[in-house]
Amino acid sequence: MRVLVVEDDRLLGDALQAGLKQLGFSVDWVQDGLAATHALALEPYAALILDLGLPGRSGLAVLAHLRRRGQALPVLVLTARDTVQDRIQGLDSGADDYLIKPFDMGELAARLRALIRRSSGQAAPVLALHGVRLDPAAHEVRYQGQVVALSAREFALLQVLMLEAGHVLSRTQLEERLYAWGEEIESNAVEVHVHHLRRKLSADLIVTVRGVGYLLPHPEPA
Ligand code: CA
């Protein structure tokens, strides 16, 4: 899943980007509030990690702008220990959760997974559809009970298709959800990953909608 980190502290921003990448997220990182607003207008992030004390435009102003535009993506606010008022204001301005610095990377990732899951209408931590079970925390996929080894991109693509089951996603939309800035997208990358997923899981799991994109269908209602 692709997330945006907004943090002006270089050491912390760098650590966040590296740590989240290692946990399977695609991460864009900006260091001021205006750049954050700009990125949020352009890219389809699954979640936003937002420091409140920022140059240019404050975190609270970024948040207020985001919600005024009607963007519903989950927001996790990072605050200093001594600023209860900031946290209250953050939650009241549309943040979904907060963490107090310094925090543990594992906890941050767990909170992000929970926020992303809830924002797509999933209550259960494990995604399950058509015999496929995807566990984001364990980074594990099973098909009909058997563990299947997937590359990081295959895993991310499957997760996006499962979270958005029933919706057709174009190749461009999928690329935008999988790749951060500066990451090289191999030509036909999405087609290749879909091909591998079909081979490793099931040939008819992912439907090609000619000229439009790909779809993981919702199960038929019983
Ligand atoms: Ca700051």
Side-chain angles (χ1 to χ4, degrees), residues 15-35:
L16 277 167
Q17 187 170 41
L20 288 171
K21 261 189 181 172
Q22 206 167 19
L23 291 164
F25 292 90
S26 292
V27 186
D28 291 331
W29 169 30
V30 295
Q31 300 179 30
D32 72 78
L34 286 171

Side-chain angles (χ1 to χ4, degrees), residues 141-161:
V141 169
R142 285 173 183 268
Y143 182 61
Q144 296 181 339
Q146 300 296 311
V147 174
V148 180
L150 299 181
S151 73
R153 294 287 186 209
E154 289 161 10
F155 186 95
L157 176 60
L158 181 63
Q159 187 177 13
V160 168
L161 288 168

Side-chain angles (χ1 to χ4, degrees), residues 7-9 51 53-54 101:
E7 172 58 71
D8 60 318
D9 180 314
D51 180 35
L54 293 169
K101 297 176 189 177

Side-chain angles (χ1 to χ4, degrees), residues 107-120:
E107 182 179 3
L108 173 71
R111 283 176 189 254
L112 273 183
R113 285 192 292 268
L115 289 174
I116 291 169
R117 184 171 83 220
R118 284 203 300 269
S119 76
S120 61

Side-chain angles (χ1 to χ4, degrees), residues 56-67:
R57 170 181 277 186
S58 77
L60 284 175
V62 171
L63 187 55
H65 186 265
L66 180 76
R67 295 310 189 209

Side-chain angles (χ1 to χ4, degrees), residues 65 88 104 114-115 122 130 133 141 154 162 187 189 199 204:
H65 186 265
I88 294 170
D104 177 80
L115 289 174
Q122 300 277 341
H130 308 293
R133 290 175 62 82
V141 169
E154 289 161 10
M162 289 182 84
S187 65
R199 188 168 50 75
D204 48 11

